[in-house]
Amino acid sequence: MTTTTSTMNQLSDRINALAESATLAMAKKAREFKEQGIDIISLSLGEPDFPTPKHICEAAKQAIDSGKYFAYPPVAGYADLRKAIAEKLQKENNIACKSENIVVSAGAKQSIANAMLCLINPGDEVIVYTPYWVSYVEIIRLAEGVPVFIEGDLESDFKASAAQLKDAITDKTKAVIYSSPSNPTGSVFTREEMDEMVEVLKDHKGIYVIADEIYEKINYTGAPISLASYPVMYENTITVNGFSKGFAMTGWRVGYIAAPLWIAKACEKMQGQITSGNCSIAQRAALAAITGDLGPTISMTEAYTRRKDIVISLLNEIPGVITYQPSGAFYIFPDVSAFFGKSADGTVVHNADDLCLYILNEAQVSLVTGDAFGAPRCIRISFAASEEDLRSALSRMKKALGKLQ
Ligand code: PMP
Ligand code: GLU
């Protein structure tokens, strides 16, 4: 059955108002092109191109073969996994949490959704560091909250300042959300910037920060700092992390939060009604990841570092593209506004959406428009792809962009 306007009208206002995930939509488009035999290079999805490390896969196989993990796992996650996560956060991130503060979910995306749905009442404001990851805003709207944007730009390394944060706080502010290292910019808050943020937030005991640290293992300038490691912020911070990025485990769907007990319990109740918790075998794999050899994670980050350098140097050869040095994650978010208003063969590029479409059609490279991240002058390029693909994607892009007059 096809979806018609009349069947659309029977859907809830909630789903009709929800935007499709731009990252997943571009990935879907690239997949469809590939199925048609078109040689697409997909740099749209933030997904490691490496396979999950062997010892993690082995742990999953053993879990299946043991015959012990076929039943519903505990809703908040297996006790040994929660304990291992709490120990990692204590040791590596200086966060004074215990197992009871940890809730394991179907990816960090669900962790963020749980936290928002548990904290936000209709009309509550959520301050969003912008550029932001695509799903934050839609999740806030699903929770009937109101996103309030504080924007960073190229000059500020895409990081809004503590002064902007302070100015955005009202008596309706309930939460703040950011990612550091950031998707889409790769920016990382420095110790000084974190100190300034804490100085603003420490006296607002009714404001909760969702600190998304999913890219912590992929950083180029030294370890990022966890907000919850500041004792004054511990009771007001929900730390989000997961296995997708650092361990190349996107498909396994394991993420988690560390939060004050009342929030952790609420998130457990929430997912108890929606998913019953995370896949048992994926959790056994996650346990092996968090307690095992970090060698593969370090090698992957070394590869991302090389790729970053290649992409930046090739982008710098394209007149009109403005680049910078990302400090973490595997994205670069160049300013491409110099191309707006230009055209080639009758196709006019008005904005970043048009430019992505032009590059897709002309160069067969899929990227994501900056609009999806609240930054309409930019486009996002994921360099979680092979060096060979990156080199040919950038060469095709150079040719296509060179045609725009
Ligand atoms: N946060 C950020 C900033 C992300 O880029 C992603 C991308 N997957 C997620 C959360 C969600 O990750 P997952 O659900 O795969 O754990
Ligand atoms: N987080 C990745 C991205 O931004 C994966 C896609 C998604 O979960 O939206 O591309």
Side-chain angles (χ1 to χ4, degrees):
M1 198 172 96
T2 53
T3 308
T4 62
T5 310
S6 64
T7 51
M8 276 287 288
N9 288 343
Q10 294 183 42
L11 291 170
S12 67
D13 295 343
R14 185 181 306 111
I15 191 66
N16 281 333
L18 194 73
E20 187 178 2
S21 161
T23 49
L24 299 183
M26 270 315 253
K28 189 170 163 188
K29 208 172 262 180
R31 229 174 268 138
E32 283 165 7
F33 272 49
K34 266 188 195 152
E35 277 161 20
Q36 290 165 28
I38 301 169
D39 168 28
I40 282 281
I41 303 177
S42 177
L43 307 183
S44 49
L45 198 59
E47 162 152 84
D49 57 319
F50 299 105
T52 303
K54 260 211 164 76
H55 67 283
I56 301 175
C57 298
E58 282 308 321
K61 286 187 203 161
Q62 279 169 23
I64 294 173
D65 291 342
S66 75
K68 287 199 294 197
Y69 296 101
F70 53 83
Y72 286 125
V75 172
Y78 285 118
D80 52 1
L81 177 59
R82 292 170 78 199
K83 183 163 176 278
I85 291 170
E87 283 170 4
K88 172 254 182 281
L89 291 172
Q90 290 158 14
K91 206 168 81 198
E92 290 181 14
N93 305 77
N94 232 340
I95 299 177
C97 58
K98 301 192 188 121
S99 299
E100 62 191 18
N101 302 109
I102 310 300
V103 180
V104 179
S105 301
K109 200 178 261 185
Q110 193 196 4
S111 300
I112 296 164
N114 282 345
M116 283 295 176
L117 290 167
C118 289
L119 284 172
I120 302 305
N121 275 320
D124 283 348
E125 292 177 359
V126 182
I127 297 174
V128 183
Y129 277 80
T130 305
Y132 49 76
W133 179 46
V134 276
S135 294
Y136 293 161
V137 173
E138 295 308 316
I139 292 172
I140 292 166
R141 293 198 172 118
L142 260 186
E144 298 182 62
V146 180
V148 174
F149 303 101
I150 52 172
E151 294 178 25
D153 56 17
L154 248 175
E155 282 71 49
S156 58
D157 189 24
F158 292 109
K159 289 177 279 190
S161 66
Q164 286 172 279
L165 173 64
K166 190 172 178 191
D167 287 347
I169 293 174
T170 70
D171 54 8
K172 291 204 177 116
T173 308
K174 184 69 184 283
V176 175
I177 187 164
Y178 69 79
S179 58
S180 175
S182 155
N183 179 359
T185 65
S187 300
V188 176
F189 286 120
T190 62
R191 166 66 72 189
E192 197 184 3
E193 288 160 346
M194 296 291 285
D195 287 351
E196 287 166 2
M197 190 193 294
V198 171
E199 204 45 44
V200 172
L201 291 169
K202 71 181 188 343
D203 298 322
H204 291 281
K205 292 300 168 204
I207 299 180
Y208 297 89
V209 184
I210 299 175
D212 184 344
E213 301 180 359
I214 193 156
Y215 293 97
E216 67 163 352
K217 297 257 183 273
I218 305 163
N219 66 78
Y220 312 115
T221 56
I225 295 144
S226 294
L227 187 69
S229 67
Y230 289 80
V232 72
M233 291 306 300
Y234 178 78
E235 290 298 334
N236 285 67
T237 305
I238 298 101
T239 303
V240 174
N241 207 329
F243 294 82
S244 287
K245 314 293 172 175
F247 297 97
M249 291 179 68
T250 48
W252 300 77
R253 312 302 307 125
V254 197
Y256 58 86
I257 55 159
L261 194 57
W262 61 278
I263 298 176
K265 280 190 178 305
C267 290
E268 179 179 354
K269 181 160 92 174
M270 176 67 69
Q271 70 182 23
Q273 291 292 16
I274 297 178
T275 58
S276 301
N278 186 233
C279 165
S280 59
I281 304 302
Q283 287 191 56
R284 303 322 291 164
L287 181 65
I290 206 164
T291 54
D293 176 19
L294 281 183
T297 297
I298 293 163
S299 308
M300 286 188 272
T301 299
E302 285 165 0
Y304 297 135
T305 312
R306 284 193 301 276
R307 294 165 179 195
K308 168 177 72 62
D309 295 342
I310 291 169
V311 169
I312 292 174
S313 81
L314 293 175
L315 280 174
N316 284 341
E317 289 176 12
I318 307 177
V321 177
I322 308 175
T323 61
Y324 60 97
Q325 281 290 337
S327 302
F330 35 54
Y331 309 104
I332 178 147
F333 200 56
D335 184 316
V336 288
S337 56
F339 297 99
F340 301 170
K342 296 193 172 180
S343 59
D345 304 328
T347 304
V348 186
V349 169
H350 296 101
N351 49 39
D353 286 15
D354 286 353
L355 192 68
C356 285
L357 212 59
Y358 172 75
I359 292 172
L360 183 67
N361 290 325
E362 187 67 27
Q364 283 84 49
V365 175
S366 76
L367 307 170
V368 187
T369 170
D371 263 313
F373 308 92
R377 298 168 70 86
C378 300
I379 52 172
R380 191 188 76 173
I381 303 173
S382 162
F383 48 85
S386 70
E387 291 185 13
E388 191 191 347
D389 274 359
L390 290 171
R391 284 184 195 282
S392 53
L394 267 294
S395 136
R396 292 187 201 178
M397 280 169 62
K398 185 178 181 185
K399 204 162 144 216
L401 292 172
K403 283 172 75 178
L404 288 170
Q405 297 297 324

